[in-house]
Amino acid sequence: MEQKSKTILDILLSTNRLVETEAAGFPRDFTNEKIEEKLRKEKLVTSDDITRAYGILFDLPVIHLQNQNIKPEVLNLIPKNVAEKYKVIVFEKEGQIPGGKIKMAFAKPANLRSNPPQIIADLKNQKGVTIDIYLTTLEDLELVLKSYDQKTPIPVVSHLDQKPQLATVGLKTVDLKNYKIPYDVISKFPIEISQKYNIVVFSNISPSAIKVAVSNPDDPKVKEILDFVKEKNEIAIEEFVASPQEINEAIKLYYRRPSTIVPVNPISSVVASPQQPTVRPAAQTKSVVPPQPSTAPTVPQSAMSPSPPAPAPLPNPAIAHPAQPTYSPKPQFVPKPVRQESNPNPVVVTTSTYPTSSSEDQIQGRVIAPESDLDHFLGQEVKNIEALKQIAQTGNVPKILAATVALAVEKKASDIHIEPEDKDLRIRFRVDGVLRDVIKMPVEIQPAIMSRVKILSRLKIDEQRVPQDGRFDVTTHGHEIDLRVSTLPTVRGEKAALRILDKTQNIYTLEQLGFWGRNLRVLEENITKPYGIILATGPTGSGKSTTLYSILQKISTPSVNVITLEDPVEYEIPGINQCQVKPKIGFSFADGLRSVLRQDPNIIMVGEIRDSETASMATHAALTGHLVLSTLHTNDAAGALPRLINMGIEPFLITSSVNVIIAQRLVRKICQKCKKEAVIPEVFKAEIEKELASLHLPLPYKFYEGRGCPECDHGYSGRMGIYEVLSMSDKIEELAIKKRPASEIAQAAIEEGMITLKQDGLFKATKGETSISEVLRVTANG
């Protein structure tokens, strides 16, 4: 019986069909019917996902009606208008009417338990029958309704056949109701394969023998899957025939994972891409997955998704069992010599027969990792380009991508770029803000790599005409990583950019970020005010969000209600209510801010002020007693005021609401292991002395640079911020109200003691934290 506190939303979350950020848009008081309506409208999950969620919630079997030979006399046990009204079909009967048993499938089960349709009671009373209730999809039901008045049985339209005729000859049948199938046994085949082809493993006789139940042995794809597993895995398969209903019941076991999880010991698992089944060759499986006892409960995990905390959510088949291409013949590589990692030239992997994209009918492969993190999946930690090159030579696409991500995390990269060129597929890392070529592979592998990225990110594999956005999680080198994926069609093929967000990274204090002296003092004075706006400005990737996170961590206490609106949520902070905005479904910053103001907040963080509506609401929120933190894209602190005015905000409202504006850039830090004193060209000395004069630093100035060593990237290691902090004063307010240009506002702020970006950078250069060239690079337009 359905628990009052449980809904299909809970089921979809526990089976990883939805993520927490997607579920956040559903009010807690939504009924199953309202949840279903919103799910379908926003296309967050498939119709089959919804039906299976109801099946788990109500403990009812799911049936696919297109696989049933429904006789007209059975169908007409209830009138068509009643079937359409209640979304119900009678698809099978046993015995004579009155009496006997009938089977009914409901496609709208939302209120089935709390408010059963009258048709059930009517049939029991009028026909005197016993009723077995099943669930089906709306699409299946609509298909049957179209054939309601036909005089012949409804034809089978699927590759599944409830009553196979040819291959069943000589095959044993099995009643799966008599088997208690362990999770580690049924999960040897991914759930997609079981659902799509009605195949389940129901017995593991020995490490080299299994028993499989199928509903249609004549299906060529079923034969192809089983034959390939037999041949490539050197495993014996004893085949049995079972009804689709029994197999559907058995598939429920996928969603009942044991609470105690130990590493899996799968056979080479069969995996389906959207068009074709896939399997993993045994030779590669043996090298990665060592033999282990198969009696302990196990769970197959994706090589590219982390193991969740106990009690663990159930695996999402779309992510946990992605299709991966393998190729024939086995690629033969002729690698060029690998240079030192400090060399700016990338490693180039070459081959005379590099694998190409497989056809729709080709069987592809993958390995289920014994644990979810990349290091276990790869069998090693990837810490240098040499290790990545060796994995690239295997032609194993899942491992190539896994190794690329692992190396990027090891190198502290913020982004991975996968870019097709005329003859090569180029992979670049952005390390400390600078893009570096890492490795090049033949461009023929690009479709396979992109398919892998899309499957993991839950994107449309067959859509290559428009950009797409997605995400997935990994664990490597002890870090939990959230990867935000963006694809873009180019004239040479699709490219992908993967933003790396480290969930395990600590939030820095303001001092650790690089605030000091006047900048730190002014900022701390303003963030303690109970209301007003704190703005962080700068270009994309300048660390604005990190600064706001540090401020939030400093001012967040149990006595205040802090709510954030972010896109995306980069770091999770305990004690703070963080929301992910979704403009595509109408949940923008402005919409979110409107809702947040009804949540009695003390402090609000808005990820970015992008439009006049958001700017207006943020301003009014600040004027009505809220402390608002947000970001804005301007070159310097003074430019934020004209920018807000250009958005249509009245100058007097801006000056009344804005507390402080922070402008910032990120500069690379000199490697302390190879630091040496630098000689500054005469052409720069006069400019530097002029900038530093107001800071009254001791002479002579000393500056430093990095020589370059195995521990750093061309003399640099890590990044830090340089800042200018502008607080509102009577003079600044007067200039803003008069709509004076940013240059006049900046000059007035400097006269009042503001330290500019360049001055802050040069001061840190004198301390040996960064170099003159870095400061001049990021402040060239400042």
Side-chain angles (χ1 to χ4, degrees):
M1 180 172 271
E2 179 185 4
Q3 301 174 14
K4 290 183 180 179
S5 60
K6 206 167 189 180
T7 65
I8 58 170
L9 192 65
D10 301 313
I11 301 297
L12 292 168
L13 277 169
S14 68
T15 56
N16 278 356
R17 294 303 190 186
L18 285 179
V19 296
E20 290 290 346
T21 52
E22 292 173 328
F26 290 78
R28 292 184 177 181
D29 60 350
F30 258 26
T31 62
N32 281 321
E33 190 171 9
K34 289 183 178 180
I35 292 171
E36 180 182 350
E37 181 182 349
K38 185 176 176 67
L39 288 170
R40 292 185 185 277
K41 181 179 178 181
E42 297 175 5
K43 298 180 180 179
L44 295 176
V45 294
T46 67
S47 183
D48 192 62
D49 288 335
I50 293 172
T51 304
R52 291 190 181 279
Y54 276 121
I56 296 169
L57 185 66
F58 296 142
D59 196 23
L60 289 173
V62 175
I63 189 75
H64 286 289
L65 294 178
Q66 75 264 32
N67 304 326
Q68 308 301 312
N69 288 313
I70 307 176
K71 297 179 180 179
E73 63 266 28
V74 173
L75 197 63
N76 285 294
L77 284 173
I78 58 174
K80 184 178 181 181
N81 64 324
V82 175
E84 291 176 330
K85 178 180 178 181
Y86 292 110
K87 302 298 182 191
V88 61
I89 290 292
V90 177
F91 63 91
E92 186 176 321
K93 75 178 181 71
E94 299 174 4
Q96 299 297 318
I97 302 295
K101 178 192 288 186
I102 63 172
K103 296 181 178 180
M104 302 175 67
F106 286 82
K108 290 288 287 183
N111 299 317
L112 193 57
R113 289 295 173 88
S114 59
N115 185 26
Q118 184 63 34
I119 184 64
I120 296 178
D122 291 344
L123 282 172
K124 287 182 177 179
N125 295 332
Q126 296 173 14
K127 307 287 186 181
V129 295
T130 302
I131 299 176
D132 285 349
I133 296 177
Y134 290 73
L135 305 182
T136 191
T137 65
L138 281 170
E139 292 79 2
D140 279 14
L141 182 122
E142 293 297 332
L143 176 71
V144 177
L145 287 176
K146 292 178 182 178
S147 305
Y148 219 92
D149 299 320
Q150 292 182 4
K151 302 302 181 183
T152 57
I154 297 169
V156 177
V157 297
S158 171
H159 61 275
L160 298 176
D161 187 353
Q162 187 183 5
K163 297 180 180 180
Q165 300 296 326
L166 300 177
T168 52
V169 178
L171 284 183
K172 302 174 185 177
T173 60
V174 63
D175 187 353
L176 294 179
K177 297 175 185 175
N178 298 328
Y179 282 80
K180 292 184 178 180
I181 309 174
Y183 180 86
D184 63 315
V185 172
I186 196 167
S187 61
K188 288 188 177 294
F189 281 5
I191 189 173
E192 304 99 319
I193 287 293
S194 292
Q195 290 176 337
K196 186 172 183 179
Y197 297 103
N198 268 28
I199 308 175
V200 292
V201 181
F202 67 92
S203 179
N204 190 12
I205 306 168
S206 72
S208 60
I210 59 173
K211 291 182 178 180
V212 175
V214 302
S215 67
N216 183 20
D218 292 328
D219 188 337
K221 288 295 183 183
V222 172
K223 291 182 179 180
E224 189 177 16
I225 291 169
L226 298 181
D227 288 345
F228 195 100
V229 172
K230 290 177 188 176
E231 177 185 351
K232 298 297 182 182
N233 294 274
E234 298 176 359
I235 190 168
I237 298 179
E238 191 174 357
E239 193 174 345
F240 293 79
V241 177
S243 69
Q245 293 93 331
E246 290 178 9
I247 291 178
N248 279 328
E249 279 294 303
I251 288 173
K252 283 186 178 181
L253 296 172
Y254 278 95
Y255 298 100
R256 296 173 184 173
R257 180 169 58 179
S259 57
T260 303
I261 305 301
V262 299
V264 70
N265 176 32
I267 63 168
S268 293
S269 296
V270 181
V271 182
S273 71
Q275 294 86 17
Q276 66 275 356
T278 62
V279 294
R280 174 69 181 173
Q284 295 182 27
T285 301
K286 290 181 179 178
S287 66
V288 178
V289 185
Q292 299 175 14
S294 59
T295 55
T298 61
V299 55
Q301 297 273 348
S302 168
M304 301 291 280
S305 62
S307 27
L314 300 171
N316 181 351
I319 299 177
H321 304 286
Q324 299 310 330
T326 57
Y327 306 95
S328 181
K330 186 176 179 180
Q332 300 296 321
F333 292 90
V334 185
K336 291 183 179 179
V338 183
R339 304 191 183 192
Q340 292 286 336
E341 283 192 52
S342 58
N343 193 313
N345 296 324
V347 176
V348 180
V349 178
T350 62
T351 177
S352 56
T353 38
Y354 203 90
T356 58
S357 293
S358 56
S359 66
E360 290 189 355
D361 296 325
Q362 201 171 5
I363 293 183
Q364 303 172 336
R366 71 184 269 286
V367 173
I368 295 178
E371 291 184 17
S372 62
D373 65 81
L374 302 190
D375 301 334
H376 281 85
F377 174 61
L378 293 166
Q380 65 185 90
E381 286 190 341
V382 178
K383 292 190 173 184
N384 51 53
I385 296 179
E386 176 65 25
L388 174 59
K389 188 202 73 170
Q390 291 174 356
I391 291 172
Q393 289 176 330
T394 67
N396 186 320
V397 172
K399 284 194 172 184
I400 292 172
L401 183 59
T404 300
V405 173
L407 182 60
V409 174
E410 170 67 17
K411 296 301 178 186
K412 297 182 174 62
S414 61
D415 300 86
I416 302 170
H417 290 257
I418 302 172
E419 303 166 324
E421 297 180 326
D422 288 335
K423 297 181 180 179
D424 299 311
L425 179 68
R426 179 172 67 164
I427 294 178
R428 296 192 289 172
F429 294 167
R430 187 180 293 278
V431 180
D432 294 338
V434 179
L435 275 172
R436 302 281 187 195
D437 282 334
V438 176
I439 190 171
K440 288 187 178 182
M441 293 175 282
V443 75
E444 288 83 5
I445 199 175
Q446 183 265 350
I449 291 286
M450 287 303 302
S451 293
R452 174 66 168 168
V453 170
K454 287 182 178 180
I455 289 169
L456 294 170
S457 310
R458 302 179 71 180
L459 304 179
K460 296 179 181 178
I461 300 175
D462 57 346
E463 180 55 81
Q464 301 175 6
R465 302 165 299 172
V466 297
Q468 298 186 71
D469 297 314
R471 60 172 295 275
F472 63 95
D473 298 330
V474 301
T475 304
T476 182
H477 301 298
H479 295 262
E480 293 181 9
I481 304 298
D482 184 8
L483 288 117
R484 304 300 169 107
V485 178
S486 173
T487 68
L488 180 71
T490 72
V491 293
R492 297 185 182 93
E494 280 188 292
K495 78 176 291 287
L498 285 67
R499 169 64 58 88
I500 299 173
L501 302 176
D502 190 346
K503 294 181 179 180
T504 57
Q505 184 175 341
N506 294 326
I507 296 175
Y508 298 105
T509 64
L510 294 174
E511 292 86 348
Q512 289 172 331
L513 290 180
F515 286 95
W516 65 280
R518 177 190 179 277
N519 285 350
L520 181 61
R521 185 180 69 256
V522 172
L523 183 57
E524 287 182 333
E525 288 173 357
N526 282 279
I527 63 178
T528 56
K529 293 180 180 179
Y531 57 87
I533 296 177
I534 298 170
L535 282 176
T537 71
T540 301
S542 59
K544 300 185 296 296
S545 297
T546 302
T547 299
L548 295 187
Y549 278 124
S550 297
I551 294 173
L552 282 179
Q553 183 171 254
K554 188 175 182 68
I555 63 180
S556 175
T557 65
S559 62
V560 296
N561 179 19
V562 183
I563 304 178
T564 73
L565 295 168
E566 304 173 60
D567 185 20
V569 176
E570 296 186 15
Y571 304 105
E572 296 184 11
I573 308 175
I576 291 179
N577 305 288
Q578 295 174 270
C579 303
Q580 166 85 52
V581 301
K582 290 189 174 182
K584 291 182 179 178
I585 62 172
F587 183 37
S588 63
F589 282 117
D591 296 317
L593 187 52
R594 191 177 293 108
S595 299
V596 162
L597 289 172
R598 296 194 288 268
Q599 292 287 321
D600 186 32
N602 300 102
I603 301 169
I604 305 168
M605 182 181 116
V606 182
E608 182 182 346
I609 294 178
R610 296 177 178 173
D611 51 53
S612 58
E613 185 180 9
T614 307
S616 176
M617 294 190 66
T619 303
H620 284 88
L623 292 173
T624 54
H626 304 90
L627 184 63
V628 180
L629 286 71
S630 191
T631 69
L632 198 64
H633 286 285
T634 60
N635 288 330
D636 56 16
L641 297 175
R643 178 84 175 91
L644 290 172
I645 292 171
N646 290 339
M647 284 184 170
I649 311 302
E650 290 295 334
F652 71 90
L653 292 177
I654 296 172
T655 56
S656 301
S657 59
V658 173
N659 291 347
V660 66
I661 303 169
I662 308 158
Q664 63 184 79
R665 300 289 190 277
L666 291 178
V667 294
R668 290 181 292 174
K669 295 166 65 177
I670 296 174
C671 175
Q672 298 302 305
K673 293 187 177 181
C674 62
K675 184 173 70 172
K676 67 175 182 177
E677 191 170 341
V679 177
I680 305 302
E682 291 294 329
V683 68
F684 293 120
K685 281 188 176 180
E687 180 185 354
I688 292 170
E689 290 176 358
K690 178 181 177 182
E691 291 286 349
L692 291 175
S694 62
L695 300 182
H696 307 293
L697 300 176
L699 296 171
Y701 304 132
K702 288 186 178 181
F703 300 100
Y704 301 86
E705 63 186 4
R707 295 187 183 92
C709 68
E711 300 295 323
C712 67
D713 178 33
H714 299 76
Y716 296 99
S717 179
R719 288 191 291 177
M720 65 185 304
I722 60 174
Y723 306 92
E724 63 183 30
V725 180
L726 185 153
S727 61
M728 298 302 295
S729 65
D730 293 341
K731 179 65 174 177
I732 302 297
E733 288 184 11
E734 180 184 348
L735 292 173
I737 290 174
K738 291 180 178 179
K739 299 184 179 181
R740 304 305 300 167
S743 57
E744 286 190 30
I745 296 175
Q747 184 58 42
I750 291 170
E751 291 172 359
E752 293 179 350
M754 184 183 76
I755 298 172
T756 66
L757 283 168
K758 185 175 290 186
Q759 287 174 331
D760 190 37
L762 292 174
F763 169 74
K764 288 167 181 172
T766 64
K767 296 174 64 180
E769 295 176 350
T770 188
S771 67
I772 290 291
S773 59
E774 270 296 287
V775 175
L776 296 179
R777 178 178 68 87
V778 301
T779 61
N781 297 323

